[in-house]
Amino acid sequence: MDHAWLGTYVEPDVLVEVAGGRIAGVRTGVQTPPPGATALRGLTLPGLANAHSHAFHRALRATVQVGTGTFWTWRELMYQVASRLTPDSYFDLARATYAEMALAGITAVGEFHYLHHAPGGTPYANPNAMGEALIAAAGEAGIRITLLDTAYLAAGFGEPPNRHQLRFSDTTADAWAERASLLKGDDHALIGAAIHSVRAVPADQLATVAAWAEERSAPLHVHLSEQTAENDACRAAHGRTPTRLLADHGVLGPRTTGIHNTHLTEEDIALLGSSTTGTCMCPTTERDLADGIGPAVALQKAGSPLSLGSDSHAVIDLFEEARAMELNERLRTHIRGHWTAAALLRAASADGHAALGRPDAGVLEPGAPADLTTVALDSVRTAGPVPRLAAETAVFAASAADVRHTVVAGRHIVRDGRHALIEDVPGALAAAVAALHH
């Protein structure tokens, strides 16, 4: 590697030895690559972790940018796309979307998966046909997946699922757990759990989902306080905030990650931090949906680890997510420099992988998975700065288009900006999206 980011600094002339898909050794000061070595020109980072994805939202790109509205009007368009998906068309779309992630340097995705059943809510003959399609799609695209199988049982507090949401619902948390228990993980695919939101899982069933994850030491994710309307409805129904409701039902903890965590009280922040519940910020989606800017600085100071996700895939670019988290905070506070480039890269890598159930990933150290991404330092965006500032260059100037190589388990998935497994990723995306809009 011309240059490698070793957690806190950039080191030139680094040799990484790989055995069995893991890093066996890291040597610095190796100016001449040994025979047979693969040269990675640019800045090599640990593979990036996209901690929050809804793969089918990729079909909404641009179409939801017409006209005006709110999160709730956007949601109606999302439901229309969801209603058209089959296991086969979902596989095609997810495969292309995950390939786009690989091209962006992402080596692992957390797929927040709630599209379980056929239209009308009838289970498929294989009750996990949709989830298994996602796992297979990630495998063909060459990236790791944590399938966060999601309990989504209600339209709101005390409301049955609407006609669109019947596809999402297993009717009860016990029935959800029975189906989710049939999913099988491996080195490529981990199985986790998710609570869609406090409005979508009745309070007396939250503990069932939490216990399922606890028994398996699996990650547990939840959309949390993305909208003020959710907070207001929760207070009206339960006399407390969504965060307090989750705390009261045993959902918070170090394996749990709250997605968005946008509209929180000081008590909410203290509850999340003291329980070391994680926070996954999705800045490009949060700004696209006009959600607001979450209290990321306060959450981290309270003890909540930060990760990043591309969520609705308005764009797929973890450098933009990292940059946006800092720049949003600058706009809000009129102060610069809330996080170092190193801290933002950790959120995009090690802390994201930990949130997805891989605490050993996201570092260039012996024993870690050999998952790498290399960013060009000679593009029109990245040329000029001295190499020791390569981390700052990556976070504050680079984009997904600057990713040259992506390596997963020691296997080259993207080489010189081209996907090694899927020949025409733009064509695959165009075909998969077009099939859903006809």
Side-chain angles (χ1 to χ4, degrees), residues 67-394:
T68 62
T70 65
F71 167 86
W72 306 102
T73 54
W74 168 90
R75 195 173 70 153
E76 291 305 312
L77 294 169
M78 179 268 287
Y79 285 156
Q80 291 174 26
V81 169
S83 70
R84 300 183 189 121
L85 285 160
T86 66
D88 287 344
S89 64
Y90 204 6
F91 168 82
D92 291 341
L93 178 60
R95 175 179 175 267
T97 301
Y98 296 152
E100 181 181 355
M101 290 185 196
L103 288 166
I106 292 161
T107 58
V109 61
E111 183 60 40
F112 199 103
H113 166 56
Y114 53 79
L115 193 54
H116 301 306
H117 307 300
T122 303
Y124 289 103
N126 170 5
N128 285 306
M130 295 295 259
E132 289 176 9
L134 291 166
I135 291 171
E140 289 210 7
I143 69 172
R144 303 180 194 270
I145 186 171
T146 298
L147 188 75
L148 298 157
D149 195 281
T150 304
Y152 193 141
L153 310 173
F157 298 99
E159 298 178 34
N162 66 32
R163 62 189 179 87
H164 298 295
Q165 296 161 342
L166 291 171
R167 295 199 74 173
F168 311 159
S169 177
D170 292 294
T171 68
T172 68
D174 286 334
W176 164 84
E178 186 177 344
R179 179 187 52 71
S181 297
L182 301 174
L183 287 160
K184 298 289 183 280
D186 55 25
D187 284 348
H188 149 68
L190 301 182
I191 308 300
I195 291 163
H196 179 273
S197 55
V198 293
R199 67 178 188 276
V201 177
D204 61 359
Q205 299 184 59
L206 293 170
T208 301
V209 185
W212 188 95
E214 178 75 28
E215 287 163 11
R216 292 159 177 77
S217 298
L220 173 63
H221 288 208
V222 55
H223 289 135
L224 180 57
S225 291
E226 181 179 4
Q227 294 289 321
T228 54
E230 175 182 291
N231 292 352
D232 295 342
C234 188
R235 282 195 179 93
H238 296 290
R240 66 201 84 174
T241 66
T243 302
R244 169 52 77 181
L245 187 68
L246 293 176
D248 290 348
H249 289 274
V251 174
L252 303 185
R255 283 181 298 93
T256 300
T257 299
I259 312 300
H260 306 302
N261 295 0
T262 309
H263 302 284
L264 303 178
T265 66
E266 288 187 10
E267 185 200 24
D268 292 341
I269 293 169
L271 284 168
L272 293 166
S274 63
S275 61
T276 61
T277 299
T279 294
C280 179
M281 305 298 285
C282 305
T284 65
T285 291
E286 288 150 9
R287 70 192 185 196
D288 182 56
L289 298 180
D291 286 346
I293 299 170
V297 171
L299 282 160
Q300 190 171 49
K301 283 181 178 171
S304 178
L306 298 178
S307 55
L308 296 164
S310 64
D311 191 357
S312 69
H313 313 314
V315 295
I316 294 176
D317 188 338
L318 264 286
F319 300 110
E320 176 61 23
E321 303 295 344
R323 170 162 64 242
M325 188 164 71
E326 166 66 28
L327 298 184
N328 283 353
E329 200 65 27
R330 293 183 187 185
L331 285 173
R332 199 170 66 80
T333 63
H334 305 173
I335 297 169
R336 303 176 76 239
H338 301 272
W339 292 277
T340 62
L344 292 167
L345 286 174
R346 272 196 301 279
S349 55
D351 288 345
H353 290 292
L356 297 179
R358 291 189 172 88
D360 58 342
V363 292
L364 301 185
E365 296 175 5
D371 296 356
L372 317 168
T373 185
T374 303
V375 180
L377 296 178
D378 58 358
S379 77
V380 291
R381 287 167 293 277
T382 60
V386 294
R388 68 181 174 81
L389 296 177
E392 285 76 9
T393 302

